[in-house]
Amino acid sequence: MEQPTFGVIGGGSWATAIVKMLCENLETVGWYMRSVYAVEHIKREQHNPSYLSSVEFKTEQLKLSTDINEIIAYADILIFAVPSAFIGSELNNVNTSLEHKIIISAIKGIMPESGKLLGDHFNTAYHIPLENIGVIAGPCHAEEVALERLSYLTIACAKEKNAKIVAKHLSSDYIKCTTSDDIIGIEYAATLKNIYAIAAGIAHGLGYGDNFQAVLMSNAIREIKRYVKSAHKMKRDINSSAYLGDLLVTGYSVFSRNRMFGNMIGKGYTVKSAQMEMSMVAEGYYAAKSAKDLNETRKKKAKTPIIDAVHEILYKGKEPKKVFKKLIEQLD
């Protein structure tokens, strides 16, 4: 593991950004993409045709494949960056052993099929030891990675050595990495912040201003704290960049697809029409249902008025204006 091989699973903007980061430090990066067209385009034109097209790759650095098993066989460390809604179908194609692999989730969502975090799924379904599972999180938009703007990532692994290895190979002049052992908390926070970004977008679409947005975000971080504590109680600083920082950038940034999705809902789009108009997946849509359902199964439920409000709008067809009128009475 002194010179590990890396493979990235996914063809979207975040996967493209991660490949770019790895190419700063590695001679070869494995990259699985489902689209034959995208692979051929990158080989010919040196950039992803659909996402972060401004990023140019040296194709001799890339081991591209449309066969997920080829990249799994190649890499010691596998970084999954597929939308949570589609990871199940991708894993159905895996017939290569994942034994002894280090699995890193860059997926900011809960698996719809099982309601589990990706780390939990790999542990239970593929018997990957928890010490070989990790998470990439933090306030880091793919678009700003493409522009090489200073960004911060947190790599969480139960085994500190694994976290440091991944951090080392993602770091560069414009990417600063820290490590953590709070895999569950950081993975939940990375999932939940997308729901709150949808809420921020809905509020903007309804005409609420910056003053209310600040109240919404301050309540959201406390809601994350309650939710994560009920899932996995341990000592953590909820105000660090992996939690609060990621929430703020997703809730406020113009690059946030979840905020964009929420803004459309607030302006009167139906869920289906908003999804059709967006070219990228808003993870918070799926997370709202999974997080709500998961909370309902716990003996000690966390108080989650914002998640409940977003769930009512997206899955019960409730009118955003009426739901938010009720929500504002629960915030402080």
Side-chain angles (χ1 to χ4, degrees), residues 90-118:
E90 293 290 2
L91 290 174
N92 286 338
N93 296 321
V94 174
N95 54 41
T96 301
S97 175
L98 291 167
E99 189 177 6
H100 305 307
K101 305 290 184 181
I102 293 176
I103 306 295
I104 305 295
S105 171
I107 298 172
K108 299 171 181 179
I110 298 171
M111 292 193 64
E113 297 88 347
S114 63
K116 291 182 177 180
L117 298 169
L118 188 71

Side-chain angles (χ1 to χ4, degrees), residues 31 40 48 81 111 113-115 178 182 260 281 317 323 325 332:
W31 191 2
E40 292 304 317
N48 190 328
M111 292 193 64
E113 297 88 347
S114 63
T178 58
D182 185 19
M260 183 190 306
V281 175
V323 172
K325 189 174 181 179
D332 56 53

Side-chain angles (χ1 to χ4, degrees), residues 185-243:
I186 286 176
E187 195 168 7
Y188 267 121
T191 299
L192 297 174
K193 52 97 177 182
N194 289 325
I195 305 172
Y196 302 119
I198 290 178
I202 293 173
H204 185 267
L206 289 171
Y208 289 91
D210 293 343
N211 293 342
F212 176 74
Q213 293 282 6
V215 172
L216 184 67
M217 289 295 102
S218 66
N219 278 264
I221 192 60
R222 282 176 276 162
E223 192 165 304
I224 287 177
K225 184 177 182 178
R226 292 193 297 269
Y227 195 102
V228 172
K229 185 178 180 180
S230 70
H232 180 59
K233 189 175 181 179
M234 69 172 283
K235 187 177 180 180
R236 58 173 63 89
D237 182 4
I238 205 72
N239 295 316
S240 67
S241 62
Y243 309 94

Side-chain angles (χ1 to χ4, degrees), residues 96-287:
T96 301
S97 175
L98 291 167
E99 189 177 6
H100 305 307
K101 305 290 184 181
I102 293 176
I103 306 295
I104 305 295
S105 171
I107 298 172
K108 299 171 181 179
I110 298 171
M111 292 193 64
E113 297 88 347
S114 63
K116 291 182 177 180
L117 298 169
L118 188 71
D120 285 340
H121 181 77
F122 273 105
N123 177 241
T124 56
Y126 294 91
H127 309 294
I128 306 296
L130 290 175
E131 66 178 20
N132 286 344
I133 295 172
V135 179
I136 296 174
C140 189
H141 278 305
E143 292 81 0
E144 292 206 355
V145 173
L147 296 169
E148 299 189 1
R149 291 178 177 170
L150 182 62
S151 302
Y152 287 71
L153 287 175
T154 298
I155 316 301
C157 295
K159 191 173 182 179
E160 185 181 17
K161 183 179 179 181
N162 290 342
K164 287 183 175 180
I165 289 170
V166 176
K168 174 185 175 182
H169 290 87
L170 288 172
S171 297
S172 66
D173 290 343
Y174 57 92
I175 301 294
K176 306 301 179 186
C177 293
T178 58
T179 61
S180 170
D181 61 352
D182 185 19
I183 305 173
I184 296 174
I186 286 176
E187 195 168 7
Y188 267 121
T191 299
L192 297 174
K193 52 97 177 182
N194 289 325
I195 305 172
Y196 302 119
I198 290 178
I202 293 173
H204 185 267
L206 289 171
Y208 289 91
D210 293 343
N211 293 342
F212 176 74
Q213 293 282 6
V215 172
L216 184 67
M217 289 295 102
S218 66
N219 278 264
I221 192 60
R222 282 176 276 162
E223 192 165 304
I224 287 177
K225 184 177 182 178
R226 292 193 297 269
Y227 195 102
V228 172
K229 185 178 180 180
S230 70
H232 180 59
K233 189 175 181 179
M234 69 172 283
K235 187 177 180 180
R236 58 173 63 89
D237 182 4
I238 205 72
N239 295 316
S240 67
S241 62
Y243 309 94
L244 179 58
D246 204 6
L247 169 67
L248 293 177
V249 76
T250 310
Y252 287 123
S253 176
V254 294
F255 292 127
S256 173
R257 67 193 69 171
N258 289 283
R259 180 184 167 90
M260 183 190 306
F261 177 73
N263 187 51
M264 294 166 74
I265 298 296
K267 287 183 179 297
Y269 283 71
T270 64
V271 170
K272 188 173 183 180
S273 61
Q275 289 175 321
M276 289 178 65
E277 187 155 322
M278 291 184 65
S279 60
M280 297 180 288
V281 175
E283 287 276 20
Y285 170 75
Y286 303 99

